[in-house]
Amino acid sequence: MVDIRLRNSRSRSVETLRPLDAAQGVRMYLCGPTVYDRAHLGNARPSIMFDVLYRLLRHVSPDKGWAAPVYVRNFTDVDDRINETALARREAGAQGTLEALIAERSEETIGWYRDDMAALGCLPPDHEPRATAYIGEMIAMIEALIADGHAYPAKGHVLFRVRSFAAYGALSGRSVDDMIAGARVEVAPFKEDPMDFVLWKPSTDDLPGWDSPWGRGRPGWHIECSAMSKALLGETFDIHGGGNDLLFPHHENEIAQSCCANHTEQMAQIWLHNEMLLVEGKKMSKSLGNFFTVRDLLDQGVPGEVIRFVFLSTHYSKPMDWTEKKREEAEKVLRKWRDIVSGVTATAAPADGVLEAIADDLNTAGAIAALHGLAQEPARLKASARLLGLLEDEMGDWSVANVDAAGLAPYRQRFEDVRAEAKQTKDFTAVDALKSALTAAGVEVRMAKDGVELIPGPGFDPAKLEGLV
């Protein structure tokens, strides 16, 4: 029976996953998006990583005698950036109160995120809590921290006393003094220590706020995830994760406030962090012009399954470089695999090599390598690929060549005629020229002994085909 091994950011080693309570199943929490705008491409990486883990756990838990896994991914719908977006809408003439505009923006963005993640083949989590639904739990946790001396109120704020938690810095591997020396921290006159962080802050009358023992205000970012994870998964649970940009300060602060409020030695037993995204070898940024959202790619005609494949081709713990070449290669592989499994029911068990690779610290690149060896076993290929969220029937429409519908049938016949003539004359100049013209029009040309296949790609432009037949 396969063991699941994961790289624990806290221990800095790969550990075998053993649920804290098999009867409750593996409980895991992923820090989800702050809902003020579209998810950019980097935001998709943790969701895809956790989706693969979720699929793996759903597959192996019954055999291991574990209850079904419980997967939580939150929405942060209390944030200054959401407020700024709503204020900008009001200034642009949008009707309604600021509160209504904030709610409208949050609902819109949550809908976008769900649609985009579904397009990438991500299963919906078991719970998708919103921060605004757990304000009471946050206030109760803050009150407990104050009562135990781990937090203090000051000028309408409540701050966490970082030096009251001796293990602070264990996740990121830095001492508090090193953090102060190496990081920009907000220094406010009401802070006892520069590293103390906000649990609660005051709100003005025109901004979202809730009544509390410290006045009308709203929670700090870190307390939100501590309260939601406790409410849905318990004081301690199995796996917590996100992008490595959250490791400090967000996850470090979560651990401190959760352990102090709940009187536990740990918040989660395994911390899982994915590396960041590059685009054509460079960090994605608006200033470089290489910043784009998941929806940007989808609207350009890049299939969600292709985006997912590119992500899975690199181990989550390594930087992932999105390139046009990788996209093209992913599309070719997936078209080939979908041709192989067309009409096949995934009744076979996943191949051992694929399952073992995924269980070995989510080695998705190794799993893809193993899938390449299953071309002669269509049912097993399909069943195995589905552990990675690939070759699902509902995601396959993009791969249907549909040559006749695209108007390519005459060009295919023309290519076959030119090719047949070239075989007689041994002069392939005309074949090469026609292939170049088709490729320039966004058509992939596949030549085999028994014929030619033309496939319209994402950049297919029928206008560029004029004059070729």
Side-chain angles (χ1 to χ4, degrees):
M1 186 179 299
V2 67
D3 282 331
I4 298 174
R5 302 170 69 247
L6 299 171
R7 189 182 309 273
N8 190 346
S9 299
R10 184 159 187 169
S11 67
R12 295 162 187 78
S13 63
V14 177
E15 301 176 3
T16 299
L17 173 64
R18 294 184 176 87
L20 292 169
D21 186 346
Q24 294 190 52
V26 174
R27 292 163 290 156
M28 59 187 196
Y29 185 96
L30 173 64
C31 285
T34 300
V35 289
Y36 68 97
D37 207 348
R38 288 277 190 184
H40 63 70
L41 194 59
N43 297 145
R45 197 172 193 194
S47 288
I48 292 174
M49 171 182 68
F50 262 63
D51 184 69
V52 172
L53 177 57
Y54 187 43
R55 289 172 182 270
L56 174 65
L57 289 169
R58 284 168 36 133
H59 179 75
V60 304
S61 290
D63 290 339
K64 285 182 167 291
W66 303 346
V70 181
Y71 174 22
V72 178
R73 185 185 65 206
N74 75 291
F75 290 114
T76 295
D77 58 349
V78 183
D79 187 83
D80 290 339
R81 288 168 294 183
I82 302 172
N83 299 342
E84 290 167 4
T85 303
L87 283 166
R89 281 190 170 189
R90 187 171 68 178
E91 291 171 2
Q95 299 298 309
T97 65
L98 184 62
E99 184 178 356
L101 291 173
I102 289 171
E104 179 183 288
R105 181 60 169 179
S106 296
E107 284 296 325
E108 179 180 51
T109 310
I110 287 171
W112 288 343
Y113 185 83
R114 285 172 170 161
D115 290 346
D116 290 348
M117 294 307 106
L120 299 180
C122 294
L123 300 170
D126 298 292
H127 303 281
E128 293 182 291
R130 304 184 188 196
T132 51
Y134 290 81
I135 301 296
E137 288 84 348
M138 296 174 205
I139 291 174
M141 183 172 278
I142 295 170
E143 288 180 313
L145 289 168
I146 293 174
D148 288 343
H150 293 294
Y152 57 95
K155 295 187 180 298
H157 296 74
V158 180
L159 296 110
F160 183 86
R161 235 180 227 111
V162 165
R163 293 187 189 271
S164 74
F165 182 56
Y168 193 86
L171 180 65
S172 55
R174 293 176 288 178
S175 71
V176 175
D177 291 329
D178 286 342
M179 292 178 196
I180 293 174
R184 290 178 297 175
V185 292
E186 181 186 355
V187 179
F190 48 80
K191 280 189 174 186
E192 293 180 357
D193 188 287
M195 285 301 295
D196 292 350
F197 59 86
V198 171
L199 300 172
W200 189 265
K201 56 187 175 182
S203 285
T204 57
D205 291 340
D206 62 335
L207 290 176
W210 291 263
D211 292 332
S212 79
W214 320 286
R216 185 175 181 277
R218 59 192 191 274
W221 174 33
H222 313 300
I223 197 69
E224 296 175 15
C225 288
S226 285
M228 287 185 281
S229 63
K230 177 182 178 180
L232 294 168
L233 299 176
E235 294 181 349
T236 59
F237 50 94
D238 299 289
I239 302 168
H240 194 327
N244 67 356
D245 58 323
L246 300 182
L247 194 149
F248 179 83
H250 185 50
H251 289 163
E252 196 80 74
N253 291 351
E254 276 190 66
I255 292 171
Q257 63 202 9
S258 291
C259 290
C260 290
N262 300 327
H263 304 108
T264 58
E265 293 185 0
Q266 63 178 4
M267 180 186 185
Q269 67 168 345
I270 291 179
W271 288 83
L272 205 60
H273 293 94
N274 62 274
E275 261 288 353
M276 294 296 99
L277 177 81
L278 303 174
V279 176
E280 301 290 349
K282 297 179 180 179
K283 183 178 179 180
M284 188 169 68
S285 71
K286 292 180 179 178
S287 63
L288 292 176
N290 65 351
F291 179 95
F292 45 89
T293 67
V294 173
R295 182 51 50 180
D296 289 336
L297 284 183
L298 295 171
D299 288 346
Q300 290 167 19
V302 182
E305 188 176 30
V306 171
I307 299 172
R308 184 183 182 96
F309 187 100
V310 174
F311 274 88
L312 297 178
S313 298
T314 301
H315 193 271
Y316 74 87
S317 67
K318 297 178 180 179
M320 196 213 84
D321 191 8
W322 174 272
T323 68
E324 184 63 17
K325 181 179 180 180
K326 287 181 180 179
R327 182 204 64 75
E328 292 173 355
E329 291 173 348
E331 186 168 328
K332 289 178 181 178
V333 170
L334 287 169
R335 283 191 187 278
K336 176 183 176 182
W337 286 353
R338 283 197 169 275
D339 286 346
I340 292 172
V341 304
S342 179
V344 173
T345 303
T347 53
D352 289 344
V354 174
L355 179 60
E356 289 166 1
I358 301 173
D360 183 17
D361 193 27
L362 305 182
N363 182 6
T364 52
I368 288 174
L371 288 173
H372 281 289
L374 299 175
Q376 305 303 317
E377 302 178 74
R380 193 172 293 277
L381 171 60
K382 193 169 190 177
S384 302
R386 287 185 169 184
L387 275 180
L388 292 173
L390 301 171
L391 304 189
E392 298 280 6
D393 292 339
E394 60 271 20
M395 291 186 71
D397 289 348
W398 70 270
S399 69
V400 178
N402 206 1
V403 173
D404 291 337
L408 293 179
Y411 301 92
R412 179 180 58 193
Q413 186 60 54
R414 171 64 177 159
F415 198 101
E416 289 179 345
D417 292 344
V418 171
R419 189 184 183 209
E421 183 177 348
K423 287 180 178 179
Q424 295 295 323
T425 64
K426 307 302 181 184
D427 181 0
F428 287 85
T429 304
V431 173
D432 293 339
L434 184 54
K435 182 179 179 181
S436 295
L438 289 166
T439 301
V443 179
E444 180 186 350
V445 181
R446 292 184 184 175
M447 292 183 285
K449 290 182 179 180
D450 55 351
V452 176
E453 186 179 9
L454 303 185
I455 301 172
F460 175 53
D461 184 356
K464 293 182 179 180
L465 295 174
E466 292 182 9
L468 294 184
V469 294

